[in-house]
Amino acid sequence: MKRFLVLFTILVLLFGNAIAFAASADSVVPEPHPINKLVGEQLSYDVSFLWFDRLAVGSISLSPGERPGTYLAVLEARTRGLAALVTQNRIEKFETLMEVGPDGTLRPLVHSSHTIKGSGKKLREKITSYAFDYANQQVKYQKVKNNRLAADEILALETEGPVYDILSGFYNLRAGIFGRFDDRQIHLPTFHRKGMEEIVVAPAEAKSETDRKFFGQDNILCQILLDPSIFGTKGRDLFVSFDEDSQPQRAVVKNVIGLGDVKGVLRHVVSPRQVMN
């Protein structure tokens, strides 16, 4: 009888400890990814070019993707007023569906650029997209013009390391994944149809008096080098000023073909907290 009681007591203790361990294991909640603090944010900008002020509006936003664990980033600019009449209501849009990769950084699943002109029966749209298949080290490249497939290729992803596009790179910076970016250069591998390239983010100083007045002195100014095909520029230069919370306040895309320097100024902010409320 004593042996039975001793054995029963041992079993109870072991079983109780197992339950306690399982409960404590279940109670450990993984720390949310830093990008989640930006989900729901919407930033709106007044856009100026040539000698015209505020003849276009721009926005950048981050929202949850349709599949859990994914995020959709959208950058859009559209002309208005006289500029809309001249440019046939032109809309330029970039979209990136992202996920958190094995190294903890945001990586693109699908990145696309859209150019839209006209309306109704005169609507014209061009879409270029890259769909990333990391398991097979491939990228599906497509170009669609006015609902007709103009290009469809499978390209080799010639790197085993992370790759980024302009939007996944931007939100990695905003979320602090790459650490401080006001005192050092950051090189981001990016995929292009012609091969691997780099987006370079570097601290900068306004060189001209005009730029010094435009950007001010209170913000962090960065020079970002991009492939000219992204914004249709003659060079690679994009300048962006960030506040202390890494929120972009002002930007200049240098030497856009046909438009010169295109400038954006933050006009309105919808914070994630406002969206939740």
Side-chain angles (χ1 to χ4, degrees), residues 36-37 39-41 270-277:
N36 288 308
K37 67 183 180 182
V39 174
E41 181 188 69
V270 176
S271 69
R273 191 172 297 177
Q274 288 175 290
V275 174
M276 291 175 63
N277 293 337

Side-chain angles (χ1 to χ4, degrees), residues 240-264:
V240 182
S241 64
F242 297 87
D243 66 10
E244 59 185 8
D245 295 321
S246 299
Q247 190 176 83
Q249 302 296 301
R250 295 179 173 234
V252 175
V253 184
K254 290 286 187 178
N255 295 315
V256 177
I257 296 173
L259 299 178
D261 292 353
V262 175
K263 300 181 178 181

Side-chain angles (χ1 to χ4, degrees), residues 16 20 22 27-28 36 58-59 68-69 84 86 90-91 107 112 128-129 136 166 187 191 223 237 245 264 273:
S27 64
V28 176
N36 288 308
S59 65
V86 173
R90 183 165 181 160
I91 299 172
R107 65 180 183 180
S112 61
T128 302
S129 67
N136 295 307
I166 184 174
H187 294 255
F191 182 85
Q223 179 183 20
D237 292 334
D245 295 321
R273 191 172 297 177

